Amino acid sequence: MKFLVKTQRGMESVAGNYIREALPNAEVWASPMGYSGLVIVETNDENAEEKILEIPEVERVIPVLVETNAELKEIEKAADEIASLISKDETFAVKTKRRGKHDFSSIDVNRVLGARIKEITDADVNLSWPDKVVQVEIIGDRAYISVLPGEEYRKYTPDKFDARKLFSKVTLVQMPYWGDYKACRKFGEKIGRAAQAFEVKELIIAPKEKMDAYELMEFLRGIKIGQESRYQIQREAYPWKVEKVPVSVWDLYQVVRDKRRNKRLLIITDPKGPTLAEVKEKLAKDMHYAKEVVIFIGSREGIPRGLFRFADYVVDLAPYMTFATEHGIPATLVSLWEVYEEFLRKSEEKAEDSS
């Protein structure tokens, strides 16, 4: 039996040594052809996979069903051997990870091997939620092919609610950080990164009074740096198109006047309000039907108390605790998403019961 073991980059040698201890008679090749994060294991131990998975440094263990030359025609022939593991009633997808130089691309492998499997099995292709995944790992001049359960690849599944549907109508009103220039930029980076990570509708930087222009400049510069760093990661990681969150500057009191006049849902997080558990059902319902959810977050000091009268909700997210400035956005949005998701699930259950 042969296994392709995946680890964090730089941990392959450590994992390899532990694998040798767990499987004394196994052939273990860490960093095959110099590629980090990989270990190839060949053994006759029937319990090898379970033993390898007991090693914390190991992230995944992929049993190799077919090993062949890294040539497109040879890989295509492997379909004859693996097709028996995919039934006509199942869906499948081919996913290829290629390391090294070849005269074909990963997409070529997916296309050619996928077409051959479909021809043999008559199974349908499903790139989003397949029942089976034909995994092709190409390392230099060798190709290792496996068939894995589709669940291992399902980040985005129909049974999960899409958090972006809430966050896409959230406007964050963030009071700026002030003080030392380096601190202003540092906190700006963290806030810009957080706002972009949640893909909110808009980020408004809202001073409550006159402030030093250069401190604000450094804070905004940090916002831009943090946003850009997160945006680049999202572009590479997400299967959908990602947009940069619009960032603007507006006086805090004018934001309240404008948003309140246009009947948006205004939420302020502050220890003086009721706990989230006390208001979660009504709050979740109001967020669901709101055209825009406007969330006010303080910085070094809280939102001015006089604005509480104009808010629809003043909520204490964590009684007896005060969040650090850089934790305001993620703590607030994750907490609100949890109560909103609970509302969606209950609504779905009610609909199923009534039908």
Side-chain angles (χ1 to χ4, degrees), residues 281-346:
E281 291 183 8
K282 187 174 185 304
L283 173 58
K285 185 177 180 180
D286 287 345
M287 287 194 296
H288 183 68
Y289 291 106
K291 183 177 181 180
E292 182 181 8
V293 179
V294 186
I295 302 171
F296 293 79
I297 301 174
S299 176
R300 293 189 62 169
E301 61 182 48
I303 300 297
R305 189 166 183 171
L307 299 183
F308 290 9
R309 299 191 305 274
F310 305 95
D312 297 288
Y313 291 91
V314 178
V315 183
D316 186 2
L317 296 179
Y320 298 95
M321 293 182 64
T322 302
F323 291 115
T325 298
E326 66 271 28
H327 298 155
I329 290 175
T332 301
L333 294 185
V334 168
S335 297
L336 292 178
W337 168 250
E338 286 180 355
V339 301
Y340 184 66
E341 184 184 29
E342 183 179 337
F343 165 79
L344 293 177
R345 292 203 180 279
K346 286 182 178 179

Side-chain angles (χ1 to χ4, degrees), residues 81-96:
E81 199 167 338
I82 63 178
S84 61
L85 299 174
I86 302 172
S87 71
K88 179 181 179 181
D89 298 328
E90 290 180 312
T91 61
F92 76 96
V94 180
K95 296 183 183 293
T96 302

Side-chain angles (χ1 to χ4, degrees), residues 21-22 26 43 102 114 122 143 165 178 184 243 265 297 336 339:
E21 291 180 8
T43 178
H102 307 90
D122 200 28
K165 290 183 179 179
W178 68 91
C184 289
E243 302 289 349
L265 185 70
I297 301 174
L336 292 178
V339 301

